[in-house]
Amino acid sequence: MNCQEPETDFAGFFGAQPEVETSAPGRVNLLGEHTDYNDGFVLPIAIPQRTQVELARSPDKWNRFRSTNLDVLIHYQAGGDFPSGFAAYVAGCFEVLREEMPDIMAPVNLLVRSNVPMGAGLSSSAALEVAVLRGLRKLFQLAVDDVDIALLAQQAEVRFAGVRCGIMDQMASSLADEQHMLFLDTRTLERRLLPFPEQSELVVLDSGVPRRLSSSAYNQRRAECEAAARELNVQTLRDINDVALAETLPEPLNRRARHVVSENRRVLDAVSGASAAEFGVLMNASHASLRDDYEVSIPELDCLVELLQHHPDIYGARLTGAGFGGACVALARTGQSGKVGDEVLAAYHAKGYHGSVLVSGPI
Ligand code: GLA
């Protein structure tokens, strides 16, 4: 029996079949946090959760954006009042393409559904942008490749959603898969797909605390990094290899720069053939740096990370994504991720918090 309400699918809602269907995954970042807007190195992997988009040409001058998850329908006309919420990302993607190809782009009816958790640091916004851009590419047969899609998605987010994000999330959603780590140099966009550390598998746990104050604090960290680079007379903090140089800066720029310089080093160490145990040590050091130097952790994330780090079947753990709430990522011994997730969450709940398992299992 089909239990779906007829009006929840595209045809039920818009009265015609979709012309194209696309999707894009969320991502979890294993190492290299807050390095991408400093031209540094990152190491994300795609997660099984995806955002799906169906679309067709609109019969009139209106774009209609429907979110099944939020149960809303937004009408948007190019050049008219700009929408907010999820539709800002969709309209932003539409606008960045329309600027480049005004003669090709025409209004669309679009339906989105997603199982990428929102506000957990797993790039639900990048998954939405990449899925929408893939859909528009297919519908209008646009000559844009996967890197173009990532760059357009980033533009949509920076210009229309107001977050001065780096390129990691969009590149991960557009180019990563679930079987490999994507090692990306965010300055050159050179990249390699690398095998996951042997004898290990992924655990991603949600702290249950949605990200708070994320865009203002995020933009502030970014501004601090730019100030640190100016003081050190370099283009970006990527150009600093020696942590000692960071120590010459005033508070808090010294600690912000120390995080970025040491985090870039950790990514490079991780991709130089690190074993699972060595990788875990790097993840633990990354969390300490994000907590103490970059100050983007919160007590709930520290608690969850600590419980993970003390579990005998865990190699290492850290917060993942921008911080200020959201999820933790950990590397578990092969075959143990399910058990670890259950045990750690039981201990976390005993402290009065409410988390959940987001990803667990072999790569
Ligand atoms: C968010 C941003 C990314 C990156 C991370 C932190 O996910 O969108 O560009 O800066 O935070 O590493």
Side-chain angles (χ1 to χ4, degrees), residues 339-358:
K339 182 171 78 98
V340 169
D342 292 346
E343 291 175 3
V344 166
L345 279 182
Y348 186 62
H349 294 164
K351 291 181 185 285
Y353 301 130
H354 292 285
S356 58
V357 177
L358 296 176

Side-chain angles (χ1 to χ4, degrees), residues 28 32 74 152 203 223 289 300 302 305 320 342 348:
V28 62
I74 304 292
L152 289 160
V203 188
S289 178
E300 292 88 340
D302 291 338
V305 164
T320 187
D342 292 346
Y348 186 62

Side-chain angles (χ1 to χ4, degrees), residues 27 29 32-37 165-169 218 321-322:
R27 65 95 187 96
N29 190 23
E33 216 65 84
H34 290 279
T35 51
D36 62 351
Y37 51 83
C165 65
I167 190 64
M168 166 171 71
D169 302 348
Y218 182 92

Side-chain angles (χ1 to χ4, degrees), residues 118-167:
M118 283 192 276
L122 300 182
S123 289
S124 57
S125 57
L128 173 60
E129 292 148 7
V130 171
V132 167
L133 287 165
R134 282 179 174 171
L136 293 169
R137 169 172 71 182
K138 207 165 164 186
L139 183 65
F140 295 114
Q141 301 187 355
L142 308 177
V144 289
D145 66 17
D146 291 344
V147 173
D148 297 331
I149 293 257
L151 291 167
L152 289 160
Q154 182 198 23
Q155 262 194 58
E157 179 138 359
V158 172
R159 290 177 45 204
F160 297 98
V163 181
R164 296 184 63 213
C165 65
I167 190 64

Side-chain angles (χ1 to χ4, degrees), residues 39-71:
D39 281 352
F41 306 105
V42 295
L43 198 60
I45 185 166
I47 56 172
Q49 289 92 335
R50 301 183 76 86
T51 296
Q52 287 165 338
V53 165
E54 295 170 288
L55 66 171
R57 286 174 184 77
S58 164
D60 53 33
K61 63 188 180 185
W62 287 99
N63 289 281
R64 290 175 195 80
F65 305 145
R66 159 84 178 151
S67 162
T68 306
N69 297 67
L70 303 173
D71 193 17

Side-chain angles (χ1 to χ4, degrees), residues 138-215:
K138 207 165 164 186
L139 183 65
F140 295 114
Q141 301 187 355
L142 308 177
V144 289
D145 66 17
D146 291 344
V147 173
D148 297 331
I149 293 257
L151 291 167
L152 289 160
Q154 182 198 23
Q155 262 194 58
E157 179 138 359
V158 172
R159 290 177 45 204
F160 297 98
V163 181
R164 296 184 63 213
C165 65
I167 190 64
M168 166 171 71
D169 302 348
Q170 292 78 10
M171 283 292 282
S173 185
S174 189
L175 290 139
D177 62 38
E178 289 171 49
Q179 283 75 44
H180 300 91
M181 307 188 292
L182 175 73
F183 170 50
L184 173 69
D185 178 338
T186 64
R187 171 170 274 172
T188 61
L189 298 189
E190 277 171 52
R191 58 203 175 272
R192 272 185 286 152
L193 287 171
L194 300 173
F196 210 65
E198 279 179 16
Q199 311 290 325
S200 69
E201 60 190 34
L202 204 57
V203 188
V204 181
L205 301 182
D206 187 11
S207 67
V209 182
R211 279 175 303 153
R212 299 187 278 240
L213 292 176
S214 51
S215 56

